[in-house]
Amino acid sequence: MNGTAARAATLTTALCVGAMAGDVHAAGYTETEYPIILAHGLSGFDALLGVVEYWPGIAGALEKDGAEVFVTEVSQFNDTAVRGQQLLEQVEEVIALTGADKVNLVGHSHGGLDSRWVAAQRPELVASVTTVGSPNQGAELATVLRDILVEDSFSESVLAGLAGGLGSLLALLSGTSNPQDAVGALDALSGSGMAEFNAAYPQGLPTTWCGQGDPVVDGVYYFSWTGTRSVTNFFDISDAMFALTSLVYSEDNDGVVGQCSAHLGTVIRDDYKQNHLDEVNQLFGLVHWWSVNPKTLYRQHANRLKNLGL
Ligand code: CA
């Protein structure tokens, strides 16, 4: 334990005396045994905002009551093995830096798949994997976008039907330095790409469609949650995009990932009133006003990990 963590532990002991049981504001509430790593998804956000801002307010909400939190950065658009290797190197850095034996990986969207890859390769370094809005069984939207990006298979009828939402996403994708990486990323996230990935890395996957997976595999705890609302906040410009992209799906979805595709390990819940960006408190905290706040979910999960000794 490093100096900062040791100081935090002392402070926690002192403050916990007066804390009510179950009080989510209690000191030590998020004080996990192992550091928490937040692993981002497929996104152009880094150019605009930086990786910490991918998770606005979330790292701070976790740190406030004791968690040690690290935010990693991998290639925005690439396949899972490339991103996973980059994440693994940062996991090793966090372990070297903190002296911890393992880490808790919490990944949003593609970041959840990167986390699964790391846990499959090096289970001894991973206490838990939690996927939030991750396309564990693939995302139909990725298949549609990939086909449009690849000029030869340009689908005019699909584009006409979904012009607004796909236009925004394509602008995001085409802003990458190497568009081929975007195609690679979308290949990885498509149904066929994920079937291949899952055959190689089945840890924590449900064995029946929309079921739960094994809670613990190779000593690694697996969890997941997701939202299933595309439109949640009138003032968030990204909601218009999700209103359109959600039409690609025949099942409930968060605008990018289907409800059942998000299942992995212990399913904490699969129908929060959140769209794909609400799941990481975007844009800028514009989420559903009357539903549970995304930051609260991350805090509750840290407490869940803590209570499991993770
Ligand atoms: Ca939002």
Side-chain angles (χ1 to χ4, degrees):
M1 186 179 283
N2 66 24
T4 309
R7 279 195 299 280
T10 308
L11 187 64
T12 297
T13 310
L15 294 179
C16 266
V17 174
M20 302 271 290
D23 176 6
V24 296
H25 296 295
Y29 181 74
T30 59
E31 192 178 355
T32 53
E33 173 71 18
Y34 303 110
I36 294 174
I37 288 182
L38 300 176
H40 69 77
L42 182 83
S43 155
F45 273 104
D46 66 330
L48 280 173
L49 299 166
V51 286
V52 172
E53 291 80 5
Y54 183 94
W55 310 85
I58 293 172
L62 291 170
E63 286 170 336
K64 188 170 66 138
D65 291 308
E68 197 171 9
V69 182
F70 294 85
V71 178
T72 51
E73 181 172 19
V74 299
S75 297
Q76 295 299 323
F77 299 97
N78 220 310
D79 69 37
T80 308
V82 172
R83 288 172 48 114
Q85 182 61 42
Q86 293 172 345
L87 178 59
L88 174 56
E89 285 163 17
Q90 290 166 74
V91 166
E92 288 169 337
E93 282 172 26
V94 167
I95 285 173
L97 188 69
T98 59
D101 295 331
K102 306 176 180 189
V103 297
N104 291 301
L105 293 170
V106 179
H108 177 239
S109 195
H110 200 167
L113 309 180
D114 306 335
S115 301
R116 287 177 53 194
W117 188 92
V118 169
Q121 301 288 339
R122 299 292 301 279
E124 75 281 10
L125 301 183
V126 181
S128 68
V129 167
T130 304
T131 67
V132 179
S134 292
N136 288 308
Q137 307 280 359
E140 286 95 320
L141 181 62
T143 312
V144 172
L145 286 171
R146 189 231 180 259
D147 288 347
I148 293 171
L149 267 184
V150 178
E151 217 173 326
D152 290 341
S153 57
F154 183 87
S155 168
E156 199 174 357
S157 58
V158 170
L159 190 61
L162 302 168
L166 292 187
S168 305
L169 277 176
L170 287 169
L172 194 76
L173 292 167
S174 61
T176 60
S177 54
N178 182 356
Q180 281 314 306
D181 291 345
V183 173
L186 293 171
D187 271 340
L189 299 172
S190 68
S192 57
M194 281 310 298
E196 213 171 292
F197 181 88
N198 288 339
Y201 310 113
Q203 293 86 346
L205 268 186
T207 50
T208 56
W209 181 248
C210 224
Q212 305 218 13
D214 286 337
V216 186
V217 184
D218 298 332
V220 180
Y221 284 72
Y222 286 87
F223 303 94
S224 59
W225 78 76
T226 195
T228 48
R229 283 287 179 93
S230 52
V231 178
T232 60
N233 188 308
F234 178 77
F235 295 101
D236 190 331
I237 55 167
S238 65
D239 283 41
M241 176 175 80
F242 292 133
L244 290 164
T245 58
S246 67
L247 300 175
V248 168
Y249 291 83
S250 53
E251 65 172 334
D252 287 346
N253 65 87
D254 67 0
V256 175
V257 174
Q259 181 177 40
C260 297
S261 183
H263 281 211
L264 183 78
T266 300
V267 179
I268 291 161
R269 197 170 145 177
D270 68 358
D271 63 349
Y272 288 113
K273 290 175 183 165
Q274 297 178 0
N275 62 37
H276 198 63
L277 285 177
D278 292 338
E279 288 157 4
V280 286
N281 204 32
Q282 294 283 8
L283 299 174
F284 319 112
L286 287 175
V287 297
H288 197 292
W289 283 342
W290 301 288
S291 186
V292 61
N293 189 276
K295 287 187 287 185
T296 303
L297 297 186
Y298 287 88
R299 284 174 54 81
Q300 287 173 347
H301 190 53
N303 184 254
R304 185 177 294 117
L305 296 174
K306 175 192 168 179
N307 290 338
L308 286 166
L310 304 177

